[in-house]
Amino acid sequence: MPTEIDTARLRLRHWRAADREPFAALNADPTGMEFFPALLSRAESDALASRCEGLIAERGWGLWAVETKNGREFLGFVGLHRTAPELPFSPGIEISWRLAARHWGNGYATEAACAGLRVGFTQLHFPEIVAFTAVGNSTSRAVMERIGMRHTGEFFEHPKVPVSSSLRTHCLYPTTREQWEATDT
Ligand SMILES: CC(C)(COP(=O)(O)OP(=O)(O)OC[C@H]1O[C@@H](n2cnc3c(N)ncnc32)[C@H](O)[C@@H]1OP(=O)(O)O)[C@@H](O)C(=O)NCCC(=O)NCCS
């Protein structure tokens, strides 16, 4: 069972108490949270970190805290999660990422997500992994495409986003293990 993952520049690891402060700053940053319906308060951010921490402790995988190996700076999270039951394609496994804005533009999300996808298919043996985001989130969609996921034309209305919100329509990028094997180099 994977509990931590190393890439060339990054470590996907267990959460630490020291991550809480930079994670709260990330979740309170309007730039980083542009495609989410609301910013998170410190309490909400801590609760999310606790959930991530608890699930990794329980399963050995989840939404890992990501840090640089050179400098050990906390960047955000990247990892795998069981899709919420209310989503139209559940049950399933999603891959997800959220990095602090000042660390964008370095290829870190792609590097970490590549490793997460590999672990999901080769060690955890999930038959399919999905990614999804608000249709306008082009940077996140670019990560999906860089790691070999493809938009199959499926859209859905996210049940947790208010009906009046322009962020409600999401695009779905489902990828089977066979499709990933065919694109992985
Ligand atoms: C989505 C998100 C993770 C993307 O971050 P990102 O830094 O753009 O993505 P990557 O890590 O793949 O980096 C790619 C960029 O780094 C550049 N880059 C620089 N050095 C690089 C390197 N050594 N290797 C690869 N890419 C590199 C690439 O050229 C690319 O730049 P470009 O977009 O100008 O072409 C980030 O915007 C984010 O956290 N957003 C908020 C949370 C969110 O929306 N999550 C998704 C919700 S479902």
Side-chain angles (χ1 to χ4, degrees):
M1 269 301 202
T3 51
E4 300 199 323
I5 306 170
D6 273 8
T7 70
R9 297 178 294 172
L10 306 173
R11 177 158 296 143
L12 283 64
R13 60 158 173 76
H14 290 286
W15 289 73
R16 298 189 187 128
D19 300 333
R20 303 261 165 146
E21 194 175 326
F23 190 52
L26 182 173
N27 287 318
D29 175 6
T31 302
M33 295 295 279
E34 182 184 353
F35 294 100
F36 295 87
L39 302 179
L40 300 189
S41 67
R42 175 69 198 246
E44 289 167 331
S45 177
D46 284 355
L48 176 56
S50 292
R51 277 206 302 282
C52 295
E53 199 175 351
L55 286 171
I56 294 173
E58 185 187 315
R59 300 171 175 162
W61 58 273
L63 296 171
W64 286 277
V66 180
E67 71 177 11
T68 52
K69 291 205 295 200
N70 177 8
R72 307 192 66 187
E73 191 173 1
F74 173 83
L75 307 181
F77 71 68
V78 174
L80 302 163
H81 191 62
R82 291 198 195 283
T83 54
E86 61 270 34
L87 291 172
F89 40 83
S90 284
I93 301 295
E94 67 175 289
I95 184 159
S96 184
W97 36 75
R98 189 182 300 178
L99 302 187
R102 67 197 184 85
H103 297 294
W104 298 355
N106 293 304
Y108 289 148
T110 295
E111 184 171 321
C114 250
L117 210 52
R118 175 176 298 281
V119 162
F121 285 130
T122 64
Q123 294 187 45
L124 299 167
H125 306 293
F126 296 129
E128 181 183 71
I129 297 176
V130 303
F132 53 88
T133 190
V135 283
N137 193 349
S138 53
T139 53
S140 190
R141 295 179 68 167
V143 175
M144 294 171 196
E145 284 162 24
R146 278 195 287 267
I147 64 173
M149 304 183 89
R150 291 289 170 262
H151 183 218
T152 50
E154 285 172 77
F155 295 91
F156 68 98
E157 302 301 299
H158 199 303
K160 284 187 177 166
V161 180
V163 174
S164 58
S165 170
S166 60
L167 301 177
R168 189 167 153 92
T169 305
H170 277 54
C171 46
L172 183 67
Y173 285 63
T175 305
T176 63
R177 185 165 48 229
E178 291 73 23
Q179 287 166 336
W180 172 79
E181 279 167 354
T183 59
D184 187 48
T185 49

